[in-house]
Amino acid sequence: MDLSTSARERGGPKKGPGRGWYALAILPAICGFAAMVAVLFVQLSKLDDGLEQIVVPGARELRLESGLHTVFLEYRSVVNGRVYRTDEVSGLTVRVEAPGGAPVAVTAPMGSAHYSLGGREGEAINAFRIEQAGTYRVSADYEGQMGPQTVIAVGRGFLKLVFTTVLIALGAAFLGMILSGGAGIGVYLARRRVRQI
């Protein structure tokens, strides 16, 4: 039997996937972007829950877990319905005291970080590490000088949570695009094979 026998002799024309399959191939990409938006919306809306605000000059006792904590200056902030906006806080010094009153070393942050959450904007200015969970006193002032009233926020694992959230969101979007690309190539090859028969 000749392999070049016509499609009619083999029982009719072969039908490959129609162009509509390309539209279906786009679905994984759409789902990936939808997942990205959902992750960002849900997770980023929870980020400020892990930040303890302190109006300074002033102090507050915080129940802190062991580990690395970051201090953020919120130059745009809202506390108890009051809006704070500060552009210059030269000389602001942050102090942390352990439950027994011993000072905790406060250093520069490991890297730059900035966030904007529902009317609040902040950037990392200090960091400190504690070895034991407990109630710590966190304060900030201008060391006897006059300065504007502003807000600092203390958070543990905040930067890691932001990085993980963004990574998961981007991963969902890229996975969707890869799946759509693979599906589109599959449809194209299937249609091409039918045309060559």
Side-chain angles (χ1 to χ4, degrees):
M1 180 178 177
D2 189 353
L3 293 178
S4 63
T5 305
S6 67
R8 177 178 297 179
E9 294 177 42
R10 294 198 302 267
K14 297 288 184 179
K15 291 186 177 180
R19 288 194 177 92
W21 283 91
Y22 285 117
L24 291 177
I26 298 174
L27 281 179
I30 295 174
C31 292
F33 279 104
M36 178 184 73
V37 172
V39 168
L40 290 176
F41 178 78
V42 173
Q43 291 300 113
L44 293 181
S45 64
K46 295 179 181 178
L47 289 178
D48 59 345
D49 294 339
L51 293 174
E52 297 285 354
Q53 293 176 300
I54 306 170
V55 178
V56 295
R60 184 180 167 193
E61 291 191 344
L62 303 177
R63 177 69 185 178
L64 302 177
E65 299 297 325
S66 60
L68 180 66
H69 296 259
T70 304
V71 181
F72 298 90
L73 170 66
E74 291 195 341
Y75 47 87
R76 303 286 185 276
S77 187
V78 180
V79 179
N80 296 325
R82 181 177 175 183
V83 177
Y84 295 83
R85 296 174 63 91
T86 309
D87 294 318
E88 179 60 42
V89 291
S90 178
L92 183 69
T93 302
V94 176
R95 298 180 184 84
V96 181
E97 294 178 12
V104 176
V106 178
T107 63
M110 296 180 65
S112 62
H114 173 273
Y115 62 84
S116 179
L117 302 167
R120 294 167 57 183
E121 292 185 61
E123 63 180 343
I125 57 171
N126 290 116
F128 62 92
R129 182 179 295 277
I130 57 177
E131 302 301 329
Q132 187 174 357
T135 301
Y136 290 74
R137 186 176 188 270
V138 182
S139 63
D141 58 36
Y142 295 93
E143 296 186 319
Q145 301 178 18
M146 296 294 292
Q149 197 172 45
T150 187
V151 178
I152 62 173
V154 179
R156 174 177 173 268
F158 182 83
L159 300 179
K160 181 179 179 181
L161 182 57
V162 171
F163 178 77
T164 303
T165 298
V166 172
L167 192 63
I168 292 174
L170 291 177
F174 281 123
L175 179 60
M177 288 190 292
I178 291 172
L179 292 176
S180 284
I185 292 172
V187 172
Y188 170 77
L189 292 176
R191 288 171 56 83
R192 183 180 179 184
R193 280 196 301 269
V194 171
R195 287 197 300 267
Q196 290 177 345
I197 294 176

mmCIF file of all heavy atoms in Angstrom, residues 101-127:
data_model
loop_
_atom_site.group_PDB
_atom_site.id
_atom_site.type_symbol
_atom_site.label_atom_id
_atom_site.label_comp_id
_atom_site.label_asym_id
_atom_site.label_seq_id
_atom_site.Cartn_x
_atom_site.Cartn_y
_atom_site.Cartn_z
ATOM 1 N N GLY A 101 16.403 45.636 81.884
ATOM 2 C CA GLY A 101 16.907 46.991 81.722
ATOM 3 C C GLY A 101 18.214 47.092 80.962
ATOM 4 O O GLY A 101 18.690 48.197 80.669
ATOM 5 N N ALA A 102 18.823 45.962 80.645
ATOM 6 C CA ALA A 102 20.088 45.986 79.908
ATOM 7 C C ALA A 102 19.864 46.459 78.476
ATOM 8 O O ALA A 102 18.862 46.085 77.844
ATOM 9 C CB ALA A 102 20.718 44.596 79.907
ATOM 10 N N PRO A 103 20.769 47.301 77.952
ATOM 11 C CA PRO A 103 20.595 47.775 76.576
ATOM 12 C C PRO A 103 20.842 46.668 75.549
ATOM 13 O O PRO A 103 21.699 45.813 75.743
ATOM 14 C CB PRO A 103 21.633 48.891 76.445
ATOM 15 C CG PRO A 103 22.682 48.528 77.450
ATOM 16 C CD PRO A 103 21.967 47.873 78.592
ATOM 17 N N VAL A 104 20.087 46.717 74.493
ATOM 18 C CA VAL A 104 20.256 45.788 73.372
ATOM 19 C C VAL A 104 20.913 46.553 72.229
ATOM 20 O O VAL A 104 20.526 47.697 71.934
ATOM 21 C CB VAL A 104 18.894 45.222 72.918
ATOM 22 C CG1 VAL A 104 19.067 44.330 71.688
ATOM 23 C CG2 VAL A 104 18.235 44.446 74.048
ATOM 24 N N ALA A 105 21.907 45.951 71.616
ATOM 25 C CA ALA A 105 22.630 46.625 70.532
ATOM 26 C C ALA A 105 21.706 46.896 69.346
ATOM 27 O O ALA A 105 21.025 45.996 68.858
ATOM 28 C CB ALA A 105 23.808 45.771 70.095
ATOM 29 N N VAL A 106 21.692 48.147 68.926
ATOM 30 C CA VAL A 106 20.909 48.564 67.761
ATOM 31 C C VAL A 106 21.882 48.946 66.661
ATOM 32 O O VAL A 106 22.780 49.772 66.868
ATOM 33 C CB VAL A 106 19.991 49.756 68.105
ATOM 34 C CG1 VAL A 106 19.230 50.209 66.863
ATOM 35 C CG2 VAL A 106 19.016 49.378 69.220
ATOM 36 N N THR A 107 21.729 48.334 65.507
ATOM 37 C CA THR A 107 22.670 48.541 64.404
ATOM 38 C C THR A 107 21.940 49.040 63.162
ATOM 39 O O THR A 107 20.709 49.162 63.147
ATOM 40 C CB THR A 107 23.394 47.228 64.063
ATOM 41 O OG1 THR A 107 22.417 46.266 63.613
ATOM 42 C CG2 THR A 107 24.105 46.673 65.284
ATOM 43 N N ALA A 108 22.711 49.291 62.119
ATOM 44 C CA ALA A 108 22.130 49.657 60.828
ATOM 45 C C ALA A 108 21.458 48.421 60.229
ATOM 46 O O ALA A 108 21.878 47.292 60.497
ATOM 47 C CB ALA A 108 23.207 50.177 59.887
ATOM 48 N N PRO A 109 20.422 48.595 59.435
ATOM 49 C CA PRO A 109 19.764 47.435 58.819
ATOM 50 C C PRO A 109 20.683 46.727 57.837
ATOM 51 O O PRO A 109 21.617 47.328 57.299
ATOM 52 C CB PRO A 109 18.549 48.051 58.114
ATOM 53 C CG PRO A 109 18.939 49.463 57.862
ATOM 54 C CD PRO A 109 19.814 49.861 59.019
ATOM 55 N N MET A 110 20.404 45.438 57.611
ATOM 56 C CA MET A 110 21.249 44.644 56.715
ATOM 57 C C MET A 110 21.118 45.088 55.266
ATOM 58 O O MET A 110 21.999 44.869 54.458
ATOM 59 C CB MET A 110 20.878 43.165 56.845
ATOM 60 C CG MET A 110 21.152 42.592 58.226
ATOM 61 S SD MET A 110 20.699 40.864 58.351
ATOM 62 C CE MET A 110 21.850 40.129 57.190
ATOM 63 N N GLY A 111 20.025 45.697 54.931
ATOM 64 C CA GLY A 111 19.823 46.164 53.561
ATOM 65 C C GLY A 111 18.737 47.220 53.543
ATOM 66 O O GLY A 111 18.040 47.437 54.535
ATOM 67 N N SER A 112 18.606 47.900 52.426
ATOM 68 C CA SER A 112 17.572 48.919 52.308
ATOM 69 C C SER A 112 16.229 48.255 52.042
ATOM 70 O O SER A 112 16.148 47.238 51.356
ATOM 71 C CB SER A 112 17.914 49.903 51.188
ATOM 72 O OG SER A 112 17.975 49.213 49.951
ATOM 73 N N ALA A 113 15.196 48.820 52.622
ATOM 74 C CA ALA A 113 13.849 48.287 52.418
ATOM 75 C C ALA A 113 12.847 49.419 52.557
ATOM 76 O O ALA A 113 12.997 50.303 53.401
ATOM 77 C CB ALA A 113 13.557 47.189 53.422
ATOM 78 N N HIS A 114 11.852 49.381 51.703
ATOM 79 C CA HIS A 114 10.812 50.413 51.695
ATOM 80 C C HIS A 114 9.474 49.737 51.501
ATOM 81 O O HIS A 114 9.367 48.744 50.784
ATOM 82 C CB HIS A 114 11.080 51.411 50.566
ATOM 83 C CG HIS A 114 9.971 52.407 50.374
ATOM 84 N ND1 HIS A 114 8.885 52.152 49.565
ATOM 85 C CD2 HIS A 114 9.764 53.633 50.906
ATOM 86 C CE1 HIS A 114 8.065 53.190 49.589
ATOM 87 N NE2 HIS A 114 8.585 54.097 50.394
ATOM 88 N N TYR A 115 8.438 50.243 52.153
ATOM 89 C CA TYR A 115 7.101 49.679 51.950
ATOM 90 C C TYR A 115 6.060 50.789 51.905
ATOM 91 O O TYR A 115 6.271 51.890 52.433
ATOM 92 C CB TYR A 115 6.744 48.665 53.045
ATOM 93 C CG TYR A 115 6.683 49.217 54.459
ATOM 94 C CD1 TYR A 115 5.539 49.842 54.953
ATOM 95 C CD2 TYR A 115 7.777 49.093 55.299
ATOM 96 C CE1 TYR A 115 5.483 50.327 56.245
ATOM 97 C CE2 TYR A 115 7.737 49.569 56.600
ATOM 98 C CZ TYR A 115 6.583 50.194 57.069
ATOM 99 O OH TYR A 115 6.533 50.675 58.348
ATOM 100 N N SER A 116 4.964 50.489 51.256
ATOM 101 C CA SER A 116 3.816 51.388 51.178
ATOM 102 C C SER A 116 2.573 50.549 51.357
ATOM 103 O O SER A 116 2.249 49.710 50.515
ATOM 104 C CB SER A 116 3.800 52.105 49.821
ATOM 105 O OG SER A 116 2.676 52.961 49.724
ATOM 106 N N LEU A 117 1.889 50.746 52.482
ATOM 107 C CA LEU A 117 0.738 49.920 52.833
ATOM 108 C C LEU A 117 -0.408 50.803 53.293
ATOM 109 O O LEU A 117 -0.401 51.327 54.408
ATOM 110 C CB LEU A 117 1.094 48.937 53.968
ATOM 111 C CG LEU A 117 2.252 47.965 53.721
ATOM 112 C CD1 LEU A 117 2.660 47.303 55.022
ATOM 113 C CD2 LEU A 117 1.816 46.920 52.711
ATOM 114 N N GLY A 118 -1.402 50.985 52.446
ATOM 115 C CA GLY A 118 -2.618 51.681 52.843
ATOM 116 C C GLY A 118 -2.407 52.997 53.569
ATOM 117 O O GLY A 118 -2.863 53.172 54.695
ATOM 118 N N GLY A 119 -1.723 53.929 52.961
ATOM 119 C CA GLY A 119 -1.512 55.221 53.586
ATOM 120 C C GLY A 119 -0.297 55.284 54.490
ATOM 121 O O GLY A 119 -0.017 56.327 55.072
ATOM 122 N N ARG A 120 0.408 54.179 54.623
ATOM 123 C CA ARG A 120 1.618 54.138 55.436
ATOM 124 C C ARG A 120 2.820 53.864 54.543
ATOM 125 O O ARG A 120 2.793 52.957 53.719
ATOM 126 C CB ARG A 120 1.527 53.046 56.507
ATOM 127 C CG ARG A 120 0.469 53.308 57.542
ATOM 128 C CD ARG A 120 0.203 52.078 58.388
ATOM 129 N NE ARG A 120 1.399 51.571 59.054
ATOM 130 C CZ ARG A 120 1.411 50.464 59.800
ATOM 131 N NH1 ARG A 120 0.288 49.765 59.953
ATOM 132 N NH2 ARG A 120 2.520 50.065 60.374
ATOM 133 N N GLU A 121 3.856 54.671 54.709
ATOM 134 C CA GLU A 121 5.090 54.460 53.964
ATOM 135 C C GLU A 121 6.252 54.478 54.944
ATOM 136 O O GLU A 121 6.312 55.332 55.832
ATOM 137 C CB GLU A 121 5.293 55.552 52.914
ATOM 138 C CG GLU A 121 4.297 55.509 51.778
ATOM 139 C CD GLU A 121 4.609 56.534 50.711
ATOM 140 O OE1 GLU A 121 5.711 56.447 50.123
ATOM 141 O OE2 GLU A 121 3.780 57.416 50.481
ATOM 142 N N GLY A 122 7.136 53.513 54.804
ATOM 143 C CA GLY A 122 8.263 53.443 55.722
ATOM 144 C C GLY A 122 9.503 52.885 55.072
ATOM 145 O O GLY A 122 9.446 52.289 53.997
ATOM 146 N N GLU A 123 10.623 53.079 55.751
ATOM 147 C CA GLU A 123 11.890 52.529 55.303
ATOM 148 C C GLU A 123 12.694 52.063 56.511
ATOM 149 O O GLU A 123 12.575 52.628 57.609
ATOM 150 C CB GLU A 123 12.681 53.542 54.483
ATOM 151 C CG GLU A 123 13.091 54.789 55.229
ATOM 152 C CD GLU A 123 13.876 55.734 54.352
ATOM 153 O OE1 GLU A 123 14.370 55.295 53.298
ATOM 154 O OE2 GLU A 123 14.000 56.914 54.717
ATOM 155 N N ALA A 124 13.494 51.042 56.299
ATOM 156 C CA ALA A 124 14.289 50.477 57.383
ATOM 157 C C ALA A 124 15.387 51.443 57.794
ATOM 158 O O ALA A 124 16.098 51.982 56.952
ATOM 159 C CB ALA A 124 14.894 49.147 56.948
ATOM 160 N N ILE A 125 15.500 51.668 59.131
ATOM 161 C CA ILE A 125 16.545 52.562 59.630
ATOM 162 C C ILE A 125 17.462 51.871 60.636
ATOM 163 O O ILE A 125 18.613 52.278 60.804
ATOM 164 C CB ILE A 125 15.950 53.840 60.263
ATOM 165 C CG1 ILE A 125 14.983 53.476 61.404
ATOM 166 C CG2 ILE A 125 15.271 54.696 59.214
ATOM 167 C CD1 ILE A 125 14.522 54.677 62.216
ATOM 168 N N ASN A 126 16.959 50.832 61.316
ATOM 169 C CA ASN A 126 17.763 50.128 62.317
ATOM 170 C C ASN A 126 17.364 48.664 62.381
ATOM 171 O O ASN A 126 16.339 48.260 61.823
ATOM 172 C CB ASN A 126 17.564 50.741 63.716
ATOM 173 C CG ASN A 126 18.177 52.111 63.861
ATOM 174 O OD1 ASN A 126 17.471 53.100 64.073
ATOM 175 N ND2 ASN A 126 19.489 52.212 63.751
ATOM 176 N N ALA A 127 18.186 47.899 63.080
ATOM 177 C CA ALA A 127 17.887 46.486 63.318
ATOM 178 C C ALA A 127 18.483 46.091 64.661
ATOM 179 O O ALA A 127 19.455 46.691 65.129
ATOM 180 C CB ALA A 127 18.443 45.613 62.204
#
